[in-house]
Amino acid sequence: MRLKKNIATSEAGFIFNPGTGDSYSSNPIGSEILSHLKEDIDRKELIDLICSKYDVDRIQFEKDIDDFISQLTDNNLLDD
Amino acid sequence: MKFNGKQKLVIAVTGLNAIDSPGPGVAVIRAIRECPDFDVRIIGLSYEALEPGIYMHDIVDKTYQIPYPSAGIEPLLDRIRDIHERENIDLVIPNFDAELFNFIKIGPQLRNLGIHSFLPDLEQFEARHKMELYEFGKKHGMLVPADRLIYHSSDLAKAAEELQYPLVVKGKYYDATIAYTSEQAQKAFNQLKSKWGLPIIVQEFINGIEINIAALGDGEGNTISVVPMRKLYITDKGKAWAGITIDDSSYTNLARKFIKATKWRGGCELEVMQTKDGKPYIMEVNPRFPAWIYLTAAAGQNQPASLVKMAMGEKVEPFTTYSVGKIFIRYSWDLITDVSEFQIISGTGEL
């Protein structure tokens, strides 16, 4: 999965869809995940990356990342 | 003709009512004044003594009142002639739907006086009229909500049966109400009838995201500029109080298609509803610049200044890019004047 090419993000966690004018904000970890999503990455790779860097419960994080990805999908921010 | 920044143009502009549902005049002037290619003297043309633009002396150099559109073309022509004798007007830019018919009609006489304009012809003007838009869309393959023209309130029930509630009940020139029941439709019919006359347009309700597109055509089918804007904040009158430029080729292509089909000459605004499944419906086409037109200048496509150049005979190349993510946020400001100024415009018809 990958963030659509035209989606603009900032280090502060701001997300802007220039095609619709919609904007969103995310927290620092969301922003970090988005930076990984600028390149094509699969779910497992993403989970491994974050879990190796932070002291986080893997099962909880898997639930959170699924929720986050589902929000990105619902808002049409990921490549089909 | 090529401007070099030294020419002084005298440009007459209407639509100075910068109120909560603003006319485009002040924004048009602001954009024109920002263009470095020419110097301008702005003549405001007003209808009422409390139009704020009259008192914005850094925006409008001198204002003259003109007769209401309902007075017809002769009084308007007489008044413009009179103003022209004193001001030597180069160009007139009308900005109200209701006055455009008259200004288009007197275009040849104005031209004989040496006053330029850059307006659609009557055929183009009528084709995009609310009352003709559905047929226009059908003819040119553009999505337009189905509608019915209603002359008697008793016809509402039949229209509702065909189009189903909710319906949009629209005035001939301005105003629209969403009606969910026959009572609401009846009330809207009566209000709009007394305000704008007949017919009333009853239109299929389309749910979606509101996008407005400001576009400028050269009259030969070419689009000189097109800038789509997503409304971010909408007033209870349905006007954009904040908006952002967006990048979606389906909107720019739609505007280009409209301009090509009509050979539109001048500025226009397409009001579009993008449905959830991505279909852009044209809800309305306004035959003049919108009140948010300054955003086009801020985004790098100064449509009013380009119109001035084309009206004065300069060939303008189509713009190819604009800044995406440019936001306008409208605000209110209490302009202070004095009864001494108010009495001059009220008593003499000029300030």
Side-chain angles (χ1 to χ4, degrees), chain B residues 164-183:
Chain B
Q164 302 294 309
Y165 284 106
L167 293 169
V168 185
V169 187
K170 300 170 100 168
K172 190 163 58 168
Y173 291 118
Y174 301 102
D175 295 337
T177 303
I178 298 169
Y180 294 88
T181 63
S182 61
E183 289 76 21

Side-chain angles (χ1 to χ4, degrees), chain A residues 4-20:
Chain A
K4 280 186 174 170
K5 264 204 175 129
N6 65 334
I7 304 298
T9 60
S10 76
E11 283 179 14
F14 186 79
I15 309 160
F16 173 59
N17 182 345
T20 63

Side-chain angles (χ1 to χ4, degrees), chain B residues 110-328:
Chain B
L110 292 181
R111 194 69 197 87
N112 287 340
L113 292 170
I115 303 174
H116 299 254
S117 61
F118 203 71
L119 297 169
D121 64 27
L122 274 181
E123 195 184 331
Q124 297 163 343
F125 179 70
E126 295 296 341
R128 44 51 52 192
H129 198 281
K130 284 180 190 185
M131 295 183 284
E132 312 289 340
L133 193 60
Y134 180 67
E135 289 305 319
F136 172 85
K138 236 168 57 177
K139 187 174 161 192
H140 296 286
M142 291 178 234
L143 291 169
V144 176
D147 62 15
R148 302 285 182 275
L149 302 184
I150 304 288
Y151 291 86
H152 302 283
S153 60
S154 55
D155 296 335
L156 270 173
K158 187 167 178 278
E161 197 182 307
E162 290 165 359
L163 303 174
Q164 302 294 309
Y165 284 106
L167 293 169
V168 185
V169 187
K170 300 170 100 168
K172 190 163 58 168
Y173 291 118
Y174 301 102
D175 295 337
T177 303
I178 298 169
Y180 294 88
T181 63
S182 61
E183 289 76 21
Q184 288 175 357
Q186 187 75 48
K187 190 177 164 196
F189 178 92
N190 291 332
Q191 281 173 344
L192 292 168
K193 180 184 158 191
S194 63
K195 201 166 175 188
W196 300 114
L198 292 169
I200 301 297
I201 300 119
V202 176
Q203 193 179 57
E204 179 190 5
F205 175 74
I206 304 287
N207 198 13
I209 298 170
E210 287 187 53
I211 307 290
N212 286 9
I213 308 167
L216 178 64
D218 70 352
E220 291 166 17
N222 303 307
T223 302
I224 300 302
S225 165
V226 51
V227 178
M229 178 274 288
R230 158 98 182 263
K231 291 182 182 181
L232 292 178
Y233 188 98
I234 302 171
T235 68
D236 56 0
K237 287 186 177 169
K239 306 291 170 190
W241 199 259
I244 185 167
T245 56
I246 57 172
D247 177 22
D248 186 327
S249 56
S250 66
Y251 303 130
T252 47
N253 290 341
L254 184 68
R256 287 199 175 93
K257 196 171 175 184
F258 170 80
I259 284 177
K260 194 173 180 189
T262 53
K263 290 196 165 61
W264 192 263
R265 189 167 188 262
C268 64
E269 179 193 32
L270 275 68
E271 296 186 7
V272 173
M273 195 70 86
Q274 175 95 317
T275 59
K276 227 175 176 180
D277 54 354
K279 289 180 184 160
Y281 278 80
I282 300 180
M283 307 304 289
E284 212 163 296
V285 178
N286 295 314
R288 38 81 193 157
F289 287 133
W292 57 273
I293 194 65
Y294 182 74
L295 185 67
T296 65
Q301 297 195 2
N302 192 330
Q303 293 189 6
S306 301
L307 179 141
V308 170
K309 289 177 183 175
M310 288 195 290
M312 299 309 294
E314 183 177 329
K315 185 163 170 51
V316 176
E317 290 301 321
F319 288 96
T320 52
T321 58
Y322 58 89
S323 303
V324 175
K326 244 346 146 191
I327 295 177
F328 82 88

